[in-house]
Structures are given as structure tokens and as C-alpha cells.
Amino acid sequence: DTGVSQDPRHKITKRGQNVTFRCDPISEHNRLYWYRQTLGQGPEFLTYFQNEAQLEKSRLLSDRFSAERPKGSFSTLEIQRTEQGDSAMYLCASSGGLAGGILTDTQYFGPGTRLTVL
Amino acid sequence: AQTVTQSQPEMSVQEAETVTLSCTYDTSESDYYLFWYKQPPSRQMILVIRQEAYKQQNATENRFSVNFQKAAKSFSLKISDSQLGDAAMYFCAYRDSGNTPLVFGKGTRLSVIA
């Protein structure tokens, strides 16, 4: 397992279009997080799954955003009717696996999906 | 709500020298975790070091060490023998004890001068 992967790495879309991003966590991790990072800022939490259950959503996650993790493995983040303010890097992280035989809660990040809304 | 403050937007260090990045945080919890993450340009975020609040001993990972002052709510990162590959954005992050999401500071951009 090579770590958390995200697809696509870059997405350019026109305002009003829908976009969907995918995150594949480290295989044994049961927790999956989505963050958004805008230029010059630290990542901000969007939502969090434990297995297939969505446990928490940030107030940043408007009605146009939806996330799923249908089988407790990969997750998708969809943005409907994109706006220019949605332009950002969308980061996925996972945690909850074993490291040296000990359960670790450290979050490991993927490379992110950079969204540009024109 | 917990907050994390990094007061140094940019720092620079000469190669082989030592640099300290500052971080303060605000929380009413007594049990929590603190992290430093490194984000190189156009590359993914990687964990540098973590500290459990219940541990008084400061964490160390090779050239990276922290100065954790719980009463002052301060968590600085010291990088010794700086290398060109250390150039990156460094983010300080906080997490409650219950596997909650990370709260990040705004980051410090570190430049390493050859």
C-alpha cells in the first residue's frame, strides 16, 4: 500500500458545473477526512467518516457539497453548481490503522485535488 | 472552539543552521494531541512530529524536536542542521483526544539558504 490517493489531481470547471472527487485511503484505515485548503491558509475540516458512517460535517459544507463512503473504503466528494469561491485544494486524509502492531490515530494525507472554477 | 496560531508567515535559515518555528493554541481540554506537518511545494502533506499532551517529555524525531509548554499553550518546532529539503510550508495542528478532525494554523513558509 503506497498511501492515500486522490483522483483527479487537477480539475478545471466552469461555474455552475458539478464535480466529483475520489479518495482512496490507506487500506486498513477506518477513518477518512476531507479538508479544504485555500491559498495561503491551512487546511480546514469539511467532513469525516468512520467506516461508512458520516460522523461530522463542518459548517463549511454547504448544501451544494455531499460526501459518501458507501462501503467504508473509498470516498467521493461532490460539489454541485460550482462557484468561483469553491476554487481550492481538496485534501483527503485517513487514519485508524496499525503501526508496529499499535493502533495509530495519526492522519495521513493524500496529494489533494486542485479545483479551479472559471 | 480550538484555535491554532502561527505568528511567523515566513522564516529563513542558512543550511546547516538551526531554526525554530512558533505555534500557540487555545483549548479548554486537558488531553489532546499536537502535530507539525510539512507541505513541500506541490507535494503532499507529511507528518513531521507529534506530541501527546499528557506526556511531559518533548517529542524528538531525528533533526526535529519540539518544545511543548502546556501551561503556556505553546508548541514550537526546532529544526537542527537544516537541509535544502527542509524548505516547505510547516503547519502546526491540534486534535482533541477523540479522533476528531485536525485544526490547523495558517502555516509558516520556511526557506533554506545554501
Side-chain angles (χ1 to χ4, degrees):
Chain A
D1 191 5
T2 57
V4 179
S5 62
Q6 293 187 244
D7 184 68
R9 295 290 305 277
H10 303 273
K11 179 70 177 178
I12 299 174
T13 191
K14 294 182 179 179
R15 188 178 54 181
Q17 297 295 306
N18 299 343
V19 295
T20 300
F21 310 141
R22 176 180 170 125
C23 171
D24 287 88
I26 294 171
S27 58
E28 66 268 27
H29 286 185
N30 62 356
R31 300 184 191 96
L32 188 148
Y33 303 80
W34 285 99
Y35 294 86
R36 182 171 70 185
Q37 184 178 20
T38 53
L39 201 61
Q41 301 293 319
E44 295 176 293
F45 167 69
L46 292 178
T47 190
Y48 150 52
F49 292 84
Q50 179 158 319
N51 299 314
E52 64 274 13
Q54 189 173 18
L55 296 188
E56 188 175 344
K57 292 192 288 187
S58 161
R59 69 186 189 286
L60 293 176
L61 212 67
S62 75
D63 292 345
R64 297 184 297 104
F65 287 70
S66 63
E68 294 182 342
R69 195 183 182 197
K71 298 182 179 179
S73 56
F74 72 91
S75 175
T76 58
L77 177 68
E78 182 183 16
I79 308 174
Q80 295 182 329
R81 304 180 303 282
T82 52
E83 302 173 355
Q84 289 184 327
D86 297 331
S87 295
M89 175 77 83
Y90 290 82
L91 297 171
C92 177
S94 70
S95 71
L98 291 173
I102 299 173
L103 184 65
T104 176
D105 53 8
T106 295
Q107 292 183 28
Y108 295 90
F109 282 81
T113 294
R114 182 169 295 283
L115 173 66
T116 302
V117 181
L118 302 176
Chain B
Q2 292 83 2
T3 59
V4 176
T5 301
Q6 294 180 249
S7 58
Q8 305 154 316
E10 295 184 358
M11 292 282 286
S12 62
V13 62
Q14 293 279 349
E15 198 175 4
E17 295 296 310
T18 296
V19 64
T20 298
L21 308 184
S22 301
C23 172
T24 59
Y25 59 94
D26 188 25
T27 183
S28 58
E29 302 292 328
S30 59
D31 191 17
Y32 50 86
Y33 298 84
L34 295 164
F35 305 83
W36 280 98
Y37 280 89
K38 169 185 177 182
Q39 189 176 41
S42 300
R43 295 180 63 186
Q44 67 196 79
M45 189 142 3
I46 58 174
L47 178 69
V48 175
I49 200 166
R50 64 176 271 165
Q51 174 80 43
E52 292 85 350
Y54 63 85
K55 290 185 178 179
Q56 294 188 349
Q57 186 173 5
N58 289 325
T60 299
E61 287 288 341
N62 300 315
R63 299 183 294 108
F64 299 88
S65 61
V66 299
N67 184 4
F68 173 48
Q69 301 289 328
K70 191 172 184 178
K73 297 181 181 175
S74 170
F75 182 61
S76 61
L77 174 70
K78 185 172 80 171
I79 306 173
S80 304
D81 185 25
S82 297
Q83 301 175 359
L84 294 177
D86 295 333
M89 283 291 289
Y90 285 82
F91 292 97
C92 179
Y94 166 99
R95 182 175 65 76
D96 285 341
S97 61
N99 282 308
T100 53
L102 294 166
V103 177
F104 285 88
K106 290 188 175 183
T108 296
R109 182 176 304 279
L110 178 67
S111 302
V112 181
I113 303 166

